[in-house]
Amino acid sequence: MTVADAFRPVAKPYALIYDIGCILAGTLFIAWSARVAIPLPFSPVPITGQTLAVLLMAVLLGSRRASMCAVTYLAEGAVGYPVFAKGAAGVSHLLGPTGGYLFGFVAAAYAVGLLAERGWDRQYGTALAAMLMGNVIIYLFGLPWLAVFVGVERTLALGLLPFIPGDVAKLLVATALLPWGRKLLAQSRQSSADGDCARAPEP
C-alpha cells in the first residue's frame, strides 16, 4: 500500500475522482520542479528538480497513478502548456536533446511505484535502491537519445557525468523524505482503527 492508497475512497465514483486529482497534482509538482532549472553552458541538458519530483511521485502514488502522472505531464507539455524545463513547451521539446529523459520519466515512475507497492519504500536501503533504479532507467532512455544530437563520444560528458553529484543529492533527499510518508500512512491507519473502535456498539 502506498501513501495515496491510504486515503483513497472506497466508493468507485469518488475513487476515480481521487485518482484523477492525484495525477493532476503530481503533474503540477513535476512542472514546478522543472521551473527550478540551472542551464549548463556546455550541455543541452539543464539541471532541474524533475527527477526528484518523479521519483517521489512514484513512491507516493504507486505504479499506475505515477506512470499516468508522467504521461499526462508529457501530454500537457506537448499541447503547449509551459511545464518543461525553464517553461518550455511543445512537441519539438519532446523530440529535442532532452526528450529521452522526459520519456524515461514514465518508465521510471512505473518501476519505482511498483517497487514501492511491494514495500521497498519501508526500509532505507531498499528505498535508496529503488530510487537509484529509477534514476538509471531515466538515463537508459535519455543518453541514447542525447547521443543522436551530440554524438556518442560526447554523450557521457554532456548528459551523465556533470549530473552525478546532483543526482546523488536528490536520491538522498527523496529517500530521507520517505519515513515521513510512511509515518503519515501509519497515523492514517491508526486513526481509522480508532474511529472503527469508537463506532463499534458495546456488547
Side-chain angles (χ1 to χ4, degrees):
M1 175 182 287
T2 64
V3 173
D5 289 328
F7 300 97
R8 191 172 189 263
V10 176
K12 288 185 177 180
Y14 300 107
L16 178 60
I17 295 172
Y18 175 82
D19 288 340
I20 294 174
C22 286
I23 291 170
L24 294 178
T27 65
L28 291 176
F29 182 48
I30 299 174
W32 174 81
S33 70
R35 292 281 182 174
V36 185
I38 303 174
L40 298 178
F42 56 86
S43 174
V45 184
I47 297 175
T48 72
Q50 289 166 294
T51 303
L52 173 61
V54 169
L55 296 179
L56 280 177
M57 287 299 99
V59 171
L60 295 175
L61 301 183
S63 57
R64 287 180 294 180
R65 281 185 294 254
S67 57
M68 283 302 302
C69 175
V71 169
T72 304
Y73 169 72
L74 298 186
E76 289 172 348
V79 300
Y81 289 101
V83 297
F84 296 142
K86 297 179 291 185
V91 176
S92 61
H93 195 77
L94 289 174
L95 301 179
T98 60
Y101 298 94
L102 294 172
F103 285 108
F105 290 166
V106 180
Y110 184 84
V112 175
L114 191 63
L115 292 175
E117 291 167 355
R118 297 181 179 181
W120 281 49
D121 62 325
R122 299 177 187 178
Q123 300 293 330
Y124 187 88
T126 54
L128 185 59
M131 295 284 185
L132 178 60
M133 187 179 301
N135 215 57
V136 169
I137 290 173
I138 293 173
Y139 279 114
L140 288 177
F141 278 78
L143 293 177
W145 194 301
L146 179 64
V148 175
F149 295 87
V150 302
V152 175
E153 69 282 355
R154 302 177 63 204
T155 299
L156 295 182
L158 299 183
L160 174 62
L161 299 181
F163 303 95
I164 291 178
D167 286 340
V168 171
K170 292 175 191 177
L171 292 178
L172 293 176
V173 168
T175 306
L177 290 175
L178 293 183
W180 176 83
R182 300 308 306 185
K183 182 179 180 180
L184 185 64
L185 178 58
Q187 290 176 345
S188 173
R189 287 177 174 175
Q190 184 61 46
S191 298
S192 177
D194 292 343
D196 291 340
C197 290
R199 289 191 296 268
E202 296 184 0

Short mmCIF file of all heavy atoms in Angstrom, two decimals, residues 89-112:
data_model
loop_
_atom_site.label_atom_id
_atom_site.label_comp_id
_atom_site.label_asym_id
_atom_site.label_seq_id
_atom_site.Cartn_x
_atom_site.Cartn_y
_atom_site.Cartn_z
N ALA A 89 7.76 24.33 -23.87
CA ALA A 89 6.58 23.54 -24.21
C ALA A 89 6.66 23.15 -25.69
O ALA A 89 7.48 23.68 -26.44
CB ALA A 89 5.29 24.32 -23.94
N GLY A 90 5.78 22.24 -26.08
CA GLY A 90 5.69 21.87 -27.48
C GLY A 90 6.28 20.51 -27.78
O GLY A 90 7.15 20.01 -27.07
N VAL A 91 5.79 19.91 -28.87
CA VAL A 91 6.27 18.60 -29.30
C VAL A 91 7.75 18.66 -29.65
O VAL A 91 8.50 17.69 -29.45
CB VAL A 91 5.45 18.10 -30.51
CG1 VAL A 91 6.01 16.78 -31.04
CG2 VAL A 91 3.98 17.93 -30.12
N SER A 92 8.20 19.79 -30.17
CA SER A 92 9.61 19.92 -30.55
C SER A 92 10.53 19.72 -29.36
O SER A 92 11.65 19.22 -29.51
CB SER A 92 9.86 21.31 -31.16
OG SER A 92 9.56 22.34 -30.23
N HIS A 93 10.07 20.08 -28.17
CA HIS A 93 10.89 19.87 -26.98
C HIS A 93 11.00 18.39 -26.65
O HIS A 93 12.05 17.92 -26.22
CB HIS A 93 10.29 20.63 -25.80
CG HIS A 93 11.22 20.78 -24.64
ND1 HIS A 93 12.26 21.69 -24.62
CD2 HIS A 93 11.30 20.11 -23.46
CE1 HIS A 93 12.91 21.59 -23.47
NE2 HIS A 93 12.36 20.63 -22.75
N LEU A 94 9.91 17.66 -26.87
CA LEU A 94 9.93 16.21 -26.64
C LEU A 94 10.86 15.52 -27.62
O LEU A 94 11.42 14.46 -27.31
CB LEU A 94 8.52 15.63 -26.77
CG LEU A 94 7.53 15.96 -25.65
CD1 LEU A 94 6.15 15.43 -26.01
CD2 LEU A 94 8.00 15.37 -24.33
N LEU A 95 11.00 16.08 -28.79
CA LEU A 95 11.84 15.47 -29.83
C LEU A 95 13.26 16.03 -29.81
O LEU A 95 14.09 15.63 -30.63
CB LEU A 95 11.21 15.70 -31.20
CG LEU A 95 9.81 15.13 -31.39
CD1 LEU A 95 9.29 15.45 -32.79
CD2 LEU A 95 9.79 13.63 -31.14
N GLY A 96 13.54 16.93 -28.88
CA GLY A 96 14.86 17.55 -28.80
C GLY A 96 15.83 16.71 -27.99
O GLY A 96 15.55 15.56 -27.63
N PRO A 97 16.99 17.27 -27.65
CA PRO A 97 18.04 16.52 -26.96
C PRO A 97 17.63 15.92 -25.62
O PRO A 97 18.15 14.88 -25.21
CB PRO A 97 19.15 17.57 -26.76
CG PRO A 97 18.90 18.59 -27.82
CD PRO A 97 17.42 18.64 -27.99
N THR A 98 16.70 16.57 -24.91
CA THR A 98 16.30 16.08 -23.59
C THR A 98 15.06 15.19 -23.64
O THR A 98 14.56 14.76 -22.60
CB THR A 98 16.03 17.26 -22.64
OG1 THR A 98 14.97 18.08 -23.18
CG2 THR A 98 17.26 18.11 -22.47
N GLY A 99 14.55 14.92 -24.84
CA GLY A 99 13.33 14.14 -24.97
C GLY A 99 13.43 12.75 -24.36
O GLY A 99 12.47 12.25 -23.78
N GLY A 100 14.57 12.12 -24.49
CA GLY A 100 14.73 10.78 -23.94
C GLY A 100 14.57 10.74 -22.43
O GLY A 100 13.96 9.82 -21.87
N TYR A 101 15.11 11.75 -21.77
CA TYR A 101 14.95 11.82 -20.32
C TYR A 101 13.47 11.96 -19.94
O TYR A 101 13.00 11.34 -18.98
CB TYR A 101 15.72 13.02 -19.76
CG TYR A 101 17.20 12.97 -19.97
CD1 TYR A 101 17.79 13.60 -21.07
CD2 TYR A 101 18.05 12.32 -19.07
CE1 TYR A 101 19.17 13.57 -21.27
CE2 TYR A 101 19.42 12.30 -19.27
CZ TYR A 101 19.97 12.92 -20.37
OH TYR A 101 21.33 12.89 -20.57
N LEU A 102 12.76 12.78 -20.70
CA LEU A 102 11.34 13.00 -20.41
C LEU A 102 10.53 11.72 -20.57
O LEU A 102 9.69 11.39 -19.72
CB LEU A 102 10.79 14.10 -21.32
CG LEU A 102 11.37 15.50 -21.11
CD1 LEU A 102 10.89 16.46 -22.19
CD2 LEU A 102 10.98 16.03 -19.73
N PHE A 103 10.78 10.98 -21.64
CA PHE A 103 10.06 9.72 -21.82
C PHE A 103 10.49 8.68 -20.78
O PHE A 103 9.71 7.81 -20.39
CB PHE A 103 10.29 9.18 -23.23
CG PHE A 103 9.52 9.91 -24.29
CD1 PHE A 103 10.15 10.75 -25.19
CD2 PHE A 103 8.14 9.77 -24.38
CE1 PHE A 103 9.43 11.43 -26.16
CE2 PHE A 103 7.41 10.44 -25.35
CZ PHE A 103 8.05 11.28 -26.24
N GLY A 104 11.73 8.81 -20.33
CA GLY A 104 12.20 7.91 -19.28
C GLY A 104 11.46 8.11 -17.97
O GLY A 104 11.40 7.19 -17.14
N PHE A 105 10.87 9.30 -17.77
CA PHE A 105 10.09 9.53 -16.56
C PHE A 105 8.95 8.52 -16.42
O PHE A 105 8.64 8.07 -15.31
CB PHE A 105 9.49 10.94 -16.57
CG PHE A 105 10.49 12.05 -16.40
CD1 PHE A 105 10.13 13.37 -16.67
CD2 PHE A 105 11.78 11.80 -15.97
CE1 PHE A 105 11.04 14.40 -16.50
CE2 PHE A 105 12.70 12.83 -15.80
CZ PHE A 105 12.32 14.13 -16.07
N VAL A 106 8.34 8.16 -17.53
CA VAL A 106 7.18 7.25 -17.50
C VAL A 106 7.61 5.87 -17.01
O VAL A 106 7.01 5.29 -16.10
CB VAL A 106 6.53 7.14 -18.89
CG1 VAL A 106 5.33 6.20 -18.83
CG2 VAL A 106 6.10 8.52 -19.39
N ALA A 107 8.68 5.34 -17.61
CA ALA A 107 9.15 4.01 -17.22
C ALA A 107 9.67 4.00 -15.79
O ALA A 107 9.41 3.07 -15.02
CB ALA A 107 10.25 3.55 -18.19
N ALA A 108 10.39 5.06 -15.41
CA ALA A 108 10.93 5.14 -14.06
C ALA A 108 9.81 5.24 -13.03
O ALA A 108 9.87 4.61 -11.96
CB ALA A 108 11.87 6.33 -13.93
N ALA A 109 8.79 6.03 -13.32
CA ALA A 109 7.67 6.19 -12.40
C ALA A 109 6.97 4.85 -12.17
O ALA A 109 6.61 4.50 -11.04
CB ALA A 109 6.69 7.22 -12.93
N TYR A 110 6.77 4.10 -13.25
CA TYR A 110 6.09 2.81 -13.10
C TYR A 110 6.94 1.83 -12.30
O TYR A 110 6.45 1.16 -11.39
CB TYR A 110 5.78 2.21 -14.48
CG TYR A 110 5.00 0.92 -14.39
CD1 TYR A 110 3.61 0.95 -14.27
CD2 TYR A 110 5.64 -0.32 -14.39
CE1 TYR A 110 2.88 -0.22 -14.16
CE2 TYR A 110 4.92 -1.49 -14.28
CZ TYR A 110 3.54 -1.44 -14.16
OH TYR A 110 2.83 -2.61 -14.04
N ALA A 111 8.23 1.75 -12.61
CA ALA A 111 9.11 0.79 -11.95
C ALA A 111 9.26 1.10 -10.46
O ALA A 111 9.11 0.20 -9.61
CB ALA A 111 10.48 0.78 -12.63
N VAL A 112 9.53 2.35 -10.13
CA VAL A 112 9.71 2.72 -8.72
C VAL A 112 8.38 2.60 -7.97
O VAL A 112 8.35 2.16 -6.82
CB VAL A 112 10.28 4.15 -8.61
CG1 VAL A 112 10.36 4.58 -7.15
CG2 VAL A 112 11.66 4.21 -9.24
#
